[in-house]
């Protein structure tokens, strides 16, 4: 007896075979697509390139305001009240009622940039600067902007005892102290 296969039997046996062929075709096309993408990427990365680089140094300025007294002026750093430049004691010695006394102080900018220097902060202490009729300290010649490395300015310090001291023993033989603080700031 001869065996005959029915069409259904042939189709059923071919189904797994067709699936294998279909899967193989999908894998081949996937590899081909990936290869094309790789060639495109390689073609893009083969372009010529060139760079432009920059570098720079950066620094900060040096800030140095000096003070000085005398003729010729003797310059000094006076960065704290402990290192203050001392005005000669003769400048305001034996103050008399109503008689103003003056002394000139000097400033010099040794900074690498211009400095803006305002009028000084004046602080007083002691008996002649307190009470009902204290002596008054004023300054004239606000320094302003001092040029870098060479700018100088002079400021006149004036101590004026009031006329009310005349005939009064309240301020006789008394003392006091004056502190001037100048501050230079870069803009």
């Amino acid at each position: 007896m001869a065996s005959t296969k029915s069409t259904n039997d042939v189709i059923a046996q071919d189904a797994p075979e067709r699936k294998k062929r279909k899967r193989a075709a999908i894998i081949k096309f996937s590899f081909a697509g990936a290869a094309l993408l790789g060639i495109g990427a390689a073609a893009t990365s083969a372009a010529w390139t060139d760079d432009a680089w920059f570098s720079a140094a950066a620094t900060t300025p040096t800030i140095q305001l000096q003070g000085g007294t005398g003729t010729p002026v003797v310059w000094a750093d006076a960065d704290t009240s402990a290192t203050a430049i001392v005005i000669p004691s003769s400048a305001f010695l034996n103050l008399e009622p109503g008689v103003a006394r003056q002394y000139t102080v000097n400033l010099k900018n040794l900074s690498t940039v211009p400095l803006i220097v305002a009028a000084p902060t004046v602080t007083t202490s002691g008996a002649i600067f307190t009470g009902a009729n204290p002596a008054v300290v004023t300054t004239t010649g606000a320094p302003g902007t001092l040029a870098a490395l060479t700018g100088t300015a002079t400021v006149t310090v004036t101590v004026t005892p009031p006329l009310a001291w005349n005939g009064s023993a309240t301020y006789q033989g008394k003392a006091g102290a004056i502190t001037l603080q100048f501050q230079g700031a870069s803009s």
Side-chain angles (χ1 to χ4, degrees), residues 99-174:
V99 179
R101 302 281 283 285
Q102 296 181 329
Y103 189 82
T104 301
V105 296
N106 303 279
L107 299 169
K108 183 177 186 179
N109 181 13
L110 291 180
S111 308
T112 56
V113 294
L115 286 183
I116 300 165
V117 183
T121 300
V122 178
T123 306
T124 58
S125 62
I128 65 173
F129 297 111
T130 61
N133 297 302
V136 176
V137 179
T138 57
T139 61
T140 53
T145 300
L146 303 181
L149 300 174
T150 60
T152 60
T154 59
V155 175
T156 301
V157 182
T158 304
V159 177
T160 307
L163 281 173
W165 282 10
N166 197 13
S168 169
T170 305
Y171 291 95
Q172 288 182 25
K174 305 298 181 193

